[in-house]
């Protein structure tokens, strides 16, 4: 409704022959597409050393993401990943993570007509009304906090709103997904006691807990412990493609019970368990998760610019409306589509915010784990 | 809490600096290295230089309040500080909380902390209205986990000032002045040493976002881009390179952000270079007069004059070893510093930066933060006007802070600096070499690392360091 006439017209012309795509554009103008994970900041680091003066996002051709593609793809909100590689663990992970957080801030400052940096569910809706892509930050990997709750808290203060508990390496307090296929040894049996302290602190802070990249043990433990709903920012369905990065059905049921969200990853290797995939394959994941867990637990987490292979028909961020059209073609209702587009994530985020507010007012929430004070002053890390 | 990582069992600790012992506390601020000690101007010299009528005046001022219930210096000092409560430039309570309590605020009653020289009760008694708390981490953490430790100290100050009703974190001039009306003790956050930013302007920016409003360019160690006055660590030594090009970028970015440049702990050459380069006024948050006590941490007269020319501020450090150049000192010794600096550059360039909890000996009568009125009392005795003292107590700092904000506001046309330090200046074992081509490769599942890649990348990192030596 608030999109410029040009885009609506262009969209209409392009989709003249496809009523589903028309409907997709219509729905995406009413509810923001909120994508859970995009690694453009990592590409900015690797390709340009974070020198934004050397980049023009209006014309950049070497990434899945640029501004025209974002507009064409109707991207309403994006969690930008502040990712640093696992080899920085025990080295300069914290500094590099701060640099990635900084590059997201600067990107939003440089392109204020396109991006609006936000930190709340309300902020997402405000940006959407202004016809901008709401920009949030997720830190991808517990190694980024160097086992320090003080670091976690300051990153929250810097606008970080989710932490993926691990990337592809164990932290001293959590195992990573690779223990499930045997390529890393189990060290913590899921979460260590400190890892569990971290979950409590994240609930208290209002930081979304992201279980992409974690093994099933961590999924189970977190889903049991967490008072707030949790997310998978970029993971798909294990039953459809048996890759350890994906979410097994019994976990989907727990996510449903806890009203969380699984934001589907488009990476070919997780979609078809092979190097080739197409839109239909991705939609199969959506269908499966809807079948097992219901339409309330599903979302989009494309993993663009973090993967070397994207599906045919979903080559870059401009193509996502085609996926929405495919869901409509498969009989998804408007409400189900809008739930997947953004309403589910907004629900989860609002609830996480509510738990934060309640924690400040009610220290009793922390009683389950001893040593949790109102200001969490014991949790120094 | 820290479990050993399976491949590099030493890696987990190689890049961590452990702030553990309280003995470490004494050495942390030990700038009283024997080599630094010089002669001090003796009390005798001062006393004998006073004319007779001055003696009469002093006698009268002592006797008068005893004979009558007339207005004493003590009451004048208190009344003055009621109207112009102190903004103090440097306090290391966060360090004490780290060393003694591991940052566990639940173990502390902020009203009364027996192990420290600072607590709310004594701040109130000392008429301290604003305290700049240092989020200090030792130089030993440079090239290790200084950034993380600094975040923890910033987090500590934030939690501390949020927890206590009497305290309030402020980050702007307006908030600071409002806090006085609300009868709160305002907290400002400073960073003590450029090693905390690990040569990254992005980190500097993020610290600013977290509320940091001042940074000393160095502590007792050189950074890759600035020099210290007291090189206890012997690192990053350069010839005639007081502030490198990147160091100038740091100062520029601090100006753009609105972060105060603090020259305490910097070498005089670094300080002079920073003074020349900074568009905003700068401070010495806790340094005293080199003329009175020739410790390299203090400021010589020529540098004071450069400071005054740029509308800067020297906030006098009360640590005995910088006051008397000896283990003992008294209030009169402290007042000598104030007198001298006023003589050289005037009262409008002076403030107070006690350095409580950052040093191990303080003058008799000035043992903790409740004792500031005794110092003001002494200055009143020495005929300092109330206007001058109001300036020293808070108005000079407010002026500087406002001007730093003005420079920021006039810098809106500047974009965040993308200057980066040349990588060869910061190569070390605890820093991942981003030029390592292994990182560029996307193996199955993008950004994933094959099992032995940890080993391979470590080997490559080591070999690249050896090749570059």
């Amino acid at each position: 409704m608030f999109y410029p006439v040009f885009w609506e017209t262009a969209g209409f012309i392009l989709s003249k022959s496809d009523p589903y795509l028309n409907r997709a554009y219509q729905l995406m103008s009413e509810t923001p597409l909120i994508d859970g994970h995009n690694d453009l900041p990592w590409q900015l680091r690797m390709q340009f050393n974070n020198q934004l003066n050397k980049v023009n996002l209006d014309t950049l051709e070497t990434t899945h993401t640029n501004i025209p593609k974002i507009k064409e793809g109707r991207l309403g909100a994006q969690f930008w990943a502040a990712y640093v590689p696992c080899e920085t663990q025990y080295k300069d992970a914290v500094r590099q993570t701060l640099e990635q957080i900084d590059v997201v801030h600067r990107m939003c400052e440089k392109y204020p007509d396109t991006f609006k940096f936000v930190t709340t569910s309300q902020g997402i809706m405000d940006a959407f009304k202004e016809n901008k892509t709401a920009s949030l930050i997720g830190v991808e990997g517990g190694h980024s906090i160097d086992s320090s709750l003080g670091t976690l808290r300051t990153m929250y203060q810097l606008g970080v709103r989710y932490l993926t508990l691990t990337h592809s390496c164990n932290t001293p307090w959590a195992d990573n997904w690779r223990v499930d296929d045997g390529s890393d040894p189990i060290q913590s049996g899921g979460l260590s006691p400190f890892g569990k302290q971290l979950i409590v602190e994240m609930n208290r802070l209002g930081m979304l807990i992201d279980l992409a990249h974690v093994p099933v043990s961590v999924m189970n433990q977190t889903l049991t412990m967490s008072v707030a709903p949790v997310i998978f920012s970029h993971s798909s369905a294990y039953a459809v493609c048996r890759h350890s990065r994906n979410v097994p059905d019994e976990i989907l049921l727990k996510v449903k019970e806890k009203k969380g969200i699984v934001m589907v990853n488009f990476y070919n290797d997780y979609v078809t368990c092979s190097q080739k995939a197409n839109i239909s394959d991705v939609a199969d994941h959506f269908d499966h998760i809807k079948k097992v867990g219901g339409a309330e637990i599903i979302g989009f987490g494309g993993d663009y610019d973090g993967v070397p292979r994207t599906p045919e028909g979903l080559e870059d961020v401009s193509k996502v409306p085609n996926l929405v059209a495919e869901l409509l073609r498969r009989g998804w209702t408007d409400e189900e589509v809008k739930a997947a587009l953004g309403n589910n994530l907004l629900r989860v985020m609002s609830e996480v915010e509510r738990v934060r507010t309640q924690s400040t007012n009610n220290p009793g929430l922390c009683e389950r784990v001893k040593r949790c004070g109102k200001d969490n002053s014991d949790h120094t890390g | 809490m820290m479990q050993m990582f399976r491949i590099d069992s030493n890696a987990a600790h190689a890049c961590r600096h452990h702030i553990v012992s309280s003995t470490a506390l004494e050495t942390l601020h030990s700038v009283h290295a024997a080599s630094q000690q010089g002669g001090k101007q003796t009390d005798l010299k001062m006393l004998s230089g006073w004319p007779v009528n001055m003696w009469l005046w002093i006698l009268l001022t002592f006797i008068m309040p005893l004979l009558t219930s007339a207005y004493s210096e003590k009451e004048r000092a208190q009344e003055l500080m009621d109207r112009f409560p102190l903004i103090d430039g440097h306090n290391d309570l966060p360090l004490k909380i780290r060393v003694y309590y591991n940052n566990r605020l639940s173990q502390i009653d902020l009203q009364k902390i027996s192990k420290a020289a600072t607590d709310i009760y004594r701040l109130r008694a000392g008429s301290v209205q604003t305290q700049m708390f240092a989020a200090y981490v030792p130089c030993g953490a440079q090239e290790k986990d200084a950034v993380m430790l600094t975040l923890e100290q910033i987090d500590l100050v934030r939690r501390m000032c949020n927890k206590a009703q009497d305290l309030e974190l402020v980050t702007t001039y307006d908030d600071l002045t409002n806090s006085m009306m609300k009868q709160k003790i305002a907290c400002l956050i400073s960073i003590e040493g450029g090693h905390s930013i690990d040569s990254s302007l992005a980190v500097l920016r993020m610290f600013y976002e977290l509320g940091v409003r001042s940074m000393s360019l160095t502590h007792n160690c050189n950074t890759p881009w600035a020099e210290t006055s007291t090189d206890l660590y012997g690192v990053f030594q350069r010839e005639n390179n007081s502030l490198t090009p990147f160091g100038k970028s740091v100062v520029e970015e601090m100006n753009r952000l609105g972060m105060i440049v603090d020259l305490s702990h910097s070498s005089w050459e670094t300080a002079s270079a920073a003074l020349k380069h900074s568009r905003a006024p700068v401070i010495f948050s806790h340094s005293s007069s080199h003329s009175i006590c020739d410790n390299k941490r203090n400021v010589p007269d020529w540098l004071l004059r450069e400071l005054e020319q740029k509308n800067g501020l020297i906030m006098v450090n009360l640590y005995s070893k910088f006051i008397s150049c000896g283990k003992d000192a008294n209030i009169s010794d402290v007042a000598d510093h104030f007198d001298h600096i006023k003589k050289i550059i005037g009262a409008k360039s002076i403030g107070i930066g006690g350095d409580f909890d950052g040093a191990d000996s303080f003058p008799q009568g000035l043992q903790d933060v409740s004792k500031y009125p005794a110092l003001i009392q002494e200055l009143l005795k020495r005929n300092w006007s109330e206007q001058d003292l109001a300036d020293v107590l808070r108005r000079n700092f407010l002026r500087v802070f406002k001007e730093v904000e003005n420079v920021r506001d006039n810098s809106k046309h500047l974009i965040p600096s993308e200057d980066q330090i040349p990588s060869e200046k910061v190569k070390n074992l605890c820093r991942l070499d981003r030029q390592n081509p292994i990182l560029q490769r996307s193996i199955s599942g993008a950004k994933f690392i094959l099992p032995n890649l940890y080993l391979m990348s470590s080997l490559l990192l080591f070999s690249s360091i050896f090749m570059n030596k």
Side-chain angles (χ1 to χ4, degrees):
Chain A
M1 291 173 286
F2 294 94
Y3 275 89
V5 173
F6 169 72
W7 282 114
E8 286 217 337
T9 314
F12 179 72
I13 291 169
L14 289 166
S15 64
K16 228 165 39 138
S17 57
D18 185 351
Y20 293 109
L21 194 53
N22 279 346
R23 193 90 199 108
Y25 284 132
Q26 178 58 37
L27 294 176
M28 292 173 90
S29 73
E30 294 165 13
T31 302
L33 163 64
I34 307 176
D35 184 279
H37 193 87
N38 181 301
D39 274 297
L40 180 63
W42 173 242
Q43 295 303 327
L44 291 175
R45 189 177 187 94
M46 292 315 296
Q47 296 184 29
F48 302 103
N49 213 6
N50 285 354
Q51 313 253 297
L52 289 183
N53 64 72
K54 294 191 162 67
V55 187
N56 184 348
L57 283 183
D58 290 309
T59 56
L60 183 62
E61 284 302 319
T62 55
T63 52
H64 297 142
T65 318
N66 68 22
I67 289 177
K69 288 176 178 158
I70 282 172
K71 296 287 189 204
E72 209 182 321
R74 307 296 197 269
L75 184 62
Q78 181 67 66
F79 282 87
W80 302 105
Y83 159 79
V84 303
C86 272
E87 302 104 308
T88 62
Q89 181 160 221
Y90 310 122
K91 290 188 163 62
D92 53 350
V94 175
R95 176 184 60 84
Q96 292 204 28
T97 307
L98 290 181
E99 291 178 340
Q100 293 314 96
I101 295 170
D102 172 70
V103 84
V104 175
H105 284 291
R106 287 191 290 122
M107 183 180 83
C108 297
E109 281 165 28
K110 187 178 178 188
Y111 300 96
D113 293 332
T114 304
F115 302 117
K116 186 179 166 96
F117 187 78
V118 304
T119 54
T120 62
S121 52
Q122 183 60 50
I124 293 175
M125 291 315 295
D126 292 343
F128 186 59
K129 287 194 186 80
E130 291 172 43
N131 198 20
K132 297 185 185 180
T133 298
S135 294
L136 305 99
I137 298 179
V139 165
E140 191 183 7
H143 58 287
S144 284
I145 66 165
D146 199 7
S147 303
S148 161
L149 292 180
T151 301
L152 175 81
R153 285 189 285 266
T154 48
M155 287 183 178
Y156 182 89
Q157 188 62 35
L158 293 170
V160 173
R161 283 300 175 267
Y162 76 63
L163 175 68
T164 320
L165 297 182
T166 64
H167 189 254
S168 302
C169 50
N170 292 342
T171 65
W173 41 268
D175 295 327
N176 81 93
W177 66 278
R178 281 146 43 85
V179 308
D180 279 349
D181 66 21
S183 40
D184 267 343
I186 296 174
Q187 280 178 252
S188 302
L191 291 170
S192 77
F194 179 78
K196 292 178 176 156
Q197 227 177 299
L198 181 68
I199 300 298
V200 173
E201 183 67 350
M202 289 174 75
N203 282 169
R204 190 192 69 88
L205 270 177
M207 175 89 82
L208 293 152
I209 301 169
D210 177 19
L211 300 179
H213 284 276
V214 308
V216 175
S217 58
V218 174
M219 294 179 197
N220 269 313
Q221 289 165 17
T222 306
L223 281 159
T224 303
M225 267 194 73
S226 175
V227 172
V230 305
I231 74 170
F232 287 78
S233 62
H234 56 307
S235 297
S236 303
Y238 187 83
V240 180
C241 156
R242 294 168 121 68
H243 193 292
S244 299
R245 272 283 282 110
N246 286 339
V247 188
D249 283 356
E250 78 259 21
I251 299 293
L252 291 178
L253 291 171
K254 279 187 124 168
V255 173
K256 173 181 176 173
E257 185 195 340
K258 295 297 187 113
K259 298 185 166 46
I261 187 172
V262 175
M263 305 174 91
V264 173
N265 191 319
F266 302 169
Y267 181 37
N268 298 6
D269 299 33
Y270 303 159
V271 170
T272 59
C273 282
S274 77
Q275 299 204 352
K276 288 173 84 74
N278 57 40
I279 291 190
S280 180
D281 298 321
V282 178
D284 287 347
H285 283 264
F286 277 79
D287 273 343
H288 180 82
I289 295 173
K290 181 160 80 104
K291 188 175 80 181
V292 174
E296 297 78 40
I297 69 159
I298 189 144
F300 291 69
D303 208 3
Y304 283 109
D305 283 315
V307 297
R309 291 176 284 279
T310 50
E312 205 183 294
L314 282 174
E315 289 82 358
D316 59 51
V317 302
S318 69
K319 303 288 200 305
V320 181
N322 295 301
L323 173 59
V324 180
E326 175 64 16
L327 297 178
L328 289 164
R329 197 170 292 122
R330 291 174 177 219
W332 284 53
T333 67
D334 287 358
E335 283 320 299
E336 287 171 341
V337 164
K338 290 168 98 168
L341 279 171
N343 287 337
N344 291 338
L345 188 283
L346 288 169
R347 178 196 74 237
V348 168
M349 205 164 165
S350 303
E351 179 60 17
V352 165
E353 288 163 359
R354 194 193 64 79
V355 168
R356 170 194 164 92
T357 313
Q358 221 183 40
S359 301
T360 315
N361 296 333
N362 180 14
L365 207 68
C366 296
E367 273 163 13
R368 274 184 303 152
V369 174
K370 223 174 135 198
R371 295 193 300 148
C372 177
K374 183 173 167 221
D375 61 334
N376 237 338
S377 50
D378 271 357
H379 291 187
T380 61
Chain B
M1 182 198 79
M2 278 283 294
Q3 297 177 25
M4 291 294 194
F5 188 63
R6 111 199 117 89
I7 292 176
D8 298 302
S9 57
N10 290 326
H13 295 298
C15 297
R16 263 198 189 267
H17 179 78
H18 295 276
I19 314 176
V20 283
S21 64
S22 51
T23 50
L25 198 60
E26 276 89 49
T27 59
L28 285 172
H29 278 62
S30 59
V31 207
H32 54 280
S35 58
Q36 307 291 342
Q37 269 184 4
K40 68 169 184 131
Q41 293 195 353
T42 60
D43 290 334
L44 211 55
K45 215 161 120 186
M46 295 299 286
L47 285 170
S48 61
W50 288 354
V52 171
N53 52 357
M54 185 69 81
W55 278 104
L56 279 172
W57 183 87
I58 289 168
L59 274 168
L60 280 170
T61 45
F62 266 104
I63 289 168
M64 286 291 283
L66 291 173
L67 293 176
T68 67
S69 53
Y71 205 40
S72 70
E73 252 93 26
K74 187 169 176 182
E75 285 166 338
R76 275 182 69 204
Q78 194 55 64
E79 192 274 335
L80 188 63
M81 290 190 81
D82 287 344
R83 282 186 291 135
F84 302 100
L86 176 65
I87 300 175
D88 182 276
H90 193 86
N91 182 293
D92 275 299
L93 180 62
L95 173 64
K96 284 275 176 71
I97 296 178
R98 175 125 207 159
V99 169
Y100 291 127
Y101 301 102
N102 203 16
N103 287 3
R104 285 176 151 75
L105 286 178
S106 63
Q107 293 177 8
I108 304 170
D109 174 8
L110 288 168
Q111 292 288 336
K112 298 229 166 144
I113 310 173
S114 57
K115 286 184 175 173
T118 315
D119 52 41
I120 293 172
Y121 180 78
R122 282 177 287 177
L123 286 168
R124 289 268 189 223
S127 293
V128 180
Q129 188 279 318
T130 298
Q131 181 63 69
M132 189 121 75
F133 287 109
Y136 159 81
V137 308
C139 277
Q142 179 160 218
E143 297 196 297
K144 290 190 177 176
D145 53 354
V147 176
M148 186 274 285
L149 291 173
T150 308
L151 288 180
E152 290 191 331
Q153 293 314 95
I154 294 171
D155 171 67
L156 170 66
V157 179
R158 293 184 64 95
R159 285 189 290 122
M160 185 175 88
C161 300
N162 181 53
K163 178 182 181 185
Q165 292 283 24
D166 291 274
L167 301 177
E168 180 182 60
L169 180 69
V170 301
T171 55
T172 66
Y173 174 90
D174 289 341
D175 284 348
L176 209 175
T177 47
N178 285 338
S179 71
M180 180 172 161
M181 291 193 282
K182 291 194 277 181
Q183 305 201 317
K184 300 265 192 182
I185 299 173
C187 304
L188 286 164
I189 308 178
S190 65
I191 300 275
E192 195 176 4
H195 59 286
S196 282
I197 66 166
D198 199 7
S199 301
S200 167
L201 297 182
V203 173
L204 178 73
R205 284 191 283 269
M206 293 298 96
F207 285 166
Y208 184 87
E209 277 300 309
L210 290 168
V212 172
R213 285 300 174 267
S214 172
M215 182 173 83
S216 356
L217 300 183
T218 71
H219 190 254
N220 293 342
C221 53
N222 295 337
T223 66
W225 42 269
E227 275 169 9
T228 177
S229 61
T230 320
D231 188 7
L232 297 182
Y233 288 79
V235 295
F236 298 117
Q237 287 168 324
R238 294 175 291 274
E239 295 291 334
N240 296 327
N241 216 350
S242 56
L243 202 61
T244 69
F246 184 75
K248 291 180 179 152
S249 298
V250 172
V251 170
E252 283 165 21
E253 188 68 350
M254 291 175 76
N255 285 167
R256 188 193 69 83
L257 283 169
M259 193 181 301
I260 302 171
V261 175
D262 177 8
L263 302 175
S264 284
H265 283 282
S266 296
S267 71
W268 298 340
E269 293 72 28
T270 294
S272 185
L275 267 161
K276 284 186 182 61
H277 205 69
S278 174
R279 291 185 290 127
V282 309
I283 70 173
F284 287 82
S285 63
H286 56 307
S287 297
S288 305
S289 163
H290 187 265
S291 272
I292 307 289
C293 159
D294 62 350
N295 186 300
K296 276 269 195 280
R297 270 281 281 109
N298 288 337
V299 187
D301 289 354
W302 64 266
L303 193 48
L304 286 175
R305 290 191 185 95
E306 286 189 12
L307 178 73
E308 190 268 335
Q309 301 241 311
K310 291 297 200 88
N311 296 318
L313 183 65
I314 172 166
M315 305 179 88
V316 176
N317 191 320
L318 305 182
Y319 177 35
S320 295
K321 295 217 162 71
F322 298 162
I323 290 295
S324 64
C325 274
K327 206 172 181 321
D328 301 310
N330 58 37
I331 295 183
S332 179
D333 298 326
V334 176
D336 290 347
H337 282 259
F338 281 84
D339 274 344
H340 180 79
I341 298 170
K342 179 153 82 96
K343 189 175 80 183
I344 301 296
I345 55 173
K348 289 219 179 292
S349 302
I350 309 177
I352 305 178
D355 204 6
F356 286 110
D357 287 315
D360 56 3
S361 63
F362 284 87
Q364 206 174 12
L366 288 176
Q367 304 92 315
D368 62 49
V369 298
S370 69
K371 305 287 192 262
Y372 291 105
L375 171 59
I376 301 302
Q377 189 182 334
E378 174 66 17
L379 294 177
L380 281 167
K381 274 200 205 131
R382 293 177 178 218
N383 264 345
W384 281 60
S385 72
E386 292 196 351
Q387 289 305 307
D388 282 348
L389 288 171
D391 286 342
V392 166
L393 283 166
R394 63 186 294 112
R395 295 196 301 210
N396 292 339
F397 183 86
L398 288 172
R399 181 193 75 238
V400 168
F401 197 27
K402 190 82 179 92
E403 187 52 29
V404 165
E405 284 190 352
N406 289 344
V407 168
R408 173 198 67 192
D409 295 339
N410 292 331
S411 303
K412 298 292 187 201
H413 59 287
L414 298 174
I415 59 166
S417 172
E418 295 186 330
D419 289 351
Q420 294 190 355
I421 195 163
S423 57
E424 63 271 13
K425 296 201 188 294
V426 287
K427 246 183 172 48
N428 68 72
L429 289 178
C430 298
R431 192 178 251 258
L432 186 73
D433 183 357
R434 283 191 282 107
Q435 300 312 310
N436 187 330
I438 282 187
L439 281 183
Q440 310 272 11
R441 200 157 31 111
S442 293
I443 309 107
S444 67
K447 303 173 337 194
F448 294 161
I449 314 297
L450 287 173
N452 291 321
L453 220 53
Y454 290 110
L455 204 53
M456 285 165 65
S457 60
S458 304
L459 282 171
L460 264 167
L461 181 62
F462 276 100
S463 58
S464 68
I465 288 168
F466 283 121
M467 283 194 301
N468 280 335
K469 270 205 160 147

